[in-house]
Amino acid sequence: MDLFTNDYFTLSADKDTVAILVNKPHFPLKDFDAVLKKVPRLLFTNFANLRNALAQASGESVEIGTLKPLIELQISRDFMEASIRLNMTEEELEERKPLLPEEIMELLKAYGVIDGISFHTLKNELLPQQSIVVAQGIPPEPGTDAAVSYFSFSERRPTIREDGNADYYELHFIDEVQPGQWLGEKIPATPGKSGRNLAGISIPGQGGKDQQLHYDKQSVSEHEEDGKIVLRSKLAGVVLKHGKKITVQELLTITGDVGPKTGNIDFTGSIQITGTVQDGYMVTATKDISILGEIGIGAVERIVSKQGDIYVKGGVFGKERAVIQAGRNVYLKHAKDCSIESGESIHIGLYAINCKLLSKYIYLDKRRGRLIGGLIQAKVQLVTAYIGNESERPTKVLIEGFDRSHIMKQLEAVLQEYKSVLADLEHMRKEVDVYEGYVDMLKDSQKKEYLDFTIRYEQAAEKILALEDQRKKMMAYMNAKGDGEVAVLERAFPRTMLQIKELEKRIERITAGSFYVEKNVFFHE
């Protein structure tokens, strides 16, 4: 069968093989593109034979390619899309147009395509020598992932605001909740929507990924409301978060003062006192203690939070008797003639006069905070605006100091473990994802595997939170200069004694800056 002929050569086909017979040499090879447009079924398989035949014009038939089908069908690997290419000229297309839709349908059927066929395309959008999509499956749609939200906790960041002649040390300290109050919710994941391939076979859509609500079942209850899973408090108290778990602990609210009417207070949980604690009385709690009276407290016996924080809005006038002890942090407007000890940090707004302060970190307001007299002892860092006063009242600051290289090694170990646990977490997340969306279809053995992976995933997530807490604590060490630092941002007055580790420095004239020890050398910047 002759396909094409001109003054130079003839193209012919024998079954699916295409050959060229060249009678006249020197046909420009670049002009062969025009020939291909007239013979769109030609597929070159031996370009070297073509080039040699055109150059030699031997008069012998030489195989150069194969014959493509008039209707070329391509089906995607996922059997979701079928396209055709019509290997014919425009003239051939016009001639065959009435029969083409039926021919294409027969070809599709022969390859198992029975669904998603576009009859409009077959009738109106056929073009020569172009890839045309003629059938498309319906892809499955994944469900939406579960969305979880929780109670928004107040940030414990004290500020001093000026209001006329008064200074207020503001801190939203305790997040109080009532029975039935919203603590969190989950919008459940939705199932996927099934699709269909070109063979008409249903393809299930993967359901959205689930998320767990983490809460203490003793103090928080779960309810189904308007298609959501809602967490509500079972009791009146203070809402807290332990790791990933939200919980409510009992809150004892004393309206007014702690004094003769109440006696000493010893409570398992948190305590909120709207007034003051009168002289000679004691308040002890396992968690946070908040004393909100504007006048603060005086010569109390003792205020003790075993595991939490203490906030005294009005400050302390201790009369050389009051003792404040917190497992974590202490927040005060000001302090005078008292002893304050905390496991993590002490934050004082305006001043501390003749006080004994003991903590890892001691912070006073960077613009107005004053340390005058007393004994100040920090493990890592002291930050204040002023130390001492114009009267040159003796003030002693001790910084115990730390081994920076040792902390760096610990930090590296924590980061290495964090990286390892994070890799495990990612692996387990992928394993859980395999099951997510198909939980209802799982066999008992598969459900057991899914539950096992879920438990291990949650344990790894808890470990990540614990490691992150360790990392933050170690990074706090790194924020101090050297192996221990005293930062005086405005003025340090004479007769101030600074001791960092074993090295001492007496302030002889008014100065400011950062004082620290590094490699057993005292620096002042």
Side-chain angles (χ1 to χ4, degrees), residues 4-10 23 27 35:
F4 176 84
T5 186
N6 62 14
D7 293 340
Y8 291 87
F9 59 82
T10 297
N23 299 309
F27 180 81
V35 175

Side-chain angles (χ1 to χ4, degrees), residues 175-181 183 216-221 232-239 247-251:
D175 290 308
E176 189 174 358
V177 293
Q178 299 300 320
Q181 188 166 334
L183 297 179
D216 169 41
K217 292 179 173 57
Q218 298 298 318
S219 59
V220 180
S221 57
R232 297 195 179 277
S233 177
K234 287 184 178 181
L235 46 87
V238 55
V239 59
T247 183
V248 179
Q249 293 187 345
E250 289 193 48
L251 172 66

Side-chain angles (χ1 to χ4, degrees), residues 314-326:
V316 181
F317 296 93
K319 303 176 186 177
E320 299 185 351
R321 180 178 178 182
V323 175
I324 313 295
Q325 294 176 320

Side-chain angles (χ1 to χ4, degrees), residues 62-101:
V62 178
E63 183 179 334
I64 61 170
T66 60
L67 201 62
K68 294 185 286 188
L70 276 171
I71 305 172
E72 195 172 356
L73 175 64
Q74 287 187 332
I75 300 176
S76 63
R77 287 185 177 182
D78 59 4
F79 217 71
M80 292 295 287
E81 182 177 282
S83 59
I84 61 165
R85 185 180 181 88
L86 300 176
N87 296 313
M88 57 186 69
T89 62
E90 290 186 6
E91 294 78 13
E92 290 173 325
L93 174 61
E94 286 300 318
E95 183 181 341
R96 300 178 65 92
K97 209 167 192 178
L99 300 175
L100 275 175

Side-chain angles (χ1 to χ4, degrees), residues 242-389:
H242 292 154
K244 296 177 67 175
K245 186 179 293 186
I246 197 162
T247 183
V248 179
Q249 293 187 345
E250 289 193 48
L251 172 66
L252 175 63
T253 299
I254 306 294
T255 303
D257 300 343
V258 171
K261 291 183 179 180
T262 64
N264 294 326
I265 303 294
D266 190 345
F267 184 69
T268 301
S270 296
I271 300 175
Q272 181 171 266
I273 301 165
T274 62
T276 185
V277 178
Q278 294 182 15
D279 292 357
Y281 284 87
M282 184 166 60
V283 175
T284 303
T286 56
K287 294 298 182 181
D288 300 332
I289 298 174
S290 177
I291 303 172
L292 303 178
E294 297 289 349
I295 63 171
I297 59 176
V300 297
E301 179 69 25
R302 195 175 293 269
I303 307 293
V304 179
S305 168
K306 295 177 181 178
Q307 302 169 17
D309 298 346
I310 295 175
Y311 170 49
V312 183
K313 182 176 182 181
V316 181
F317 296 93
K319 303 176 186 177
E320 299 185 351
R321 180 178 178 182
V323 175
I324 313 295
Q325 294 176 320
R328 297 182 68 248
N329 308 293
V330 174
Y331 303 90
L332 305 168
K333 178 182 176 183
H334 47 66
K336 187 174 186 296
D337 299 325
C338 64
S339 174
I340 303 172
E341 181 178 347
S342 75
E344 287 296 327
S345 64
I346 297 172
H347 300 259
I348 299 175
L350 298 176
Y351 60 79
I353 300 175
N354 194 35
C355 292
K356 181 180 179 181
L357 307 180
L358 176 62
S359 187
K360 278 186 185 177
Y361 305 90
I362 299 174
Y363 301 113
L364 282 83
D365 184 74
K366 293 181 179 180
R367 294 183 303 111
R368 304 168 64 188
R370 293 177 179 269
L371 279 173
I372 303 171
L375 175 62
I376 296 88
Q377 186 171 348
K379 179 177 177 60
V380 180
Q381 187 182 41
L382 163 68
V383 178
T384 185
Y386 300 89
I387 294 182
N389 61 5

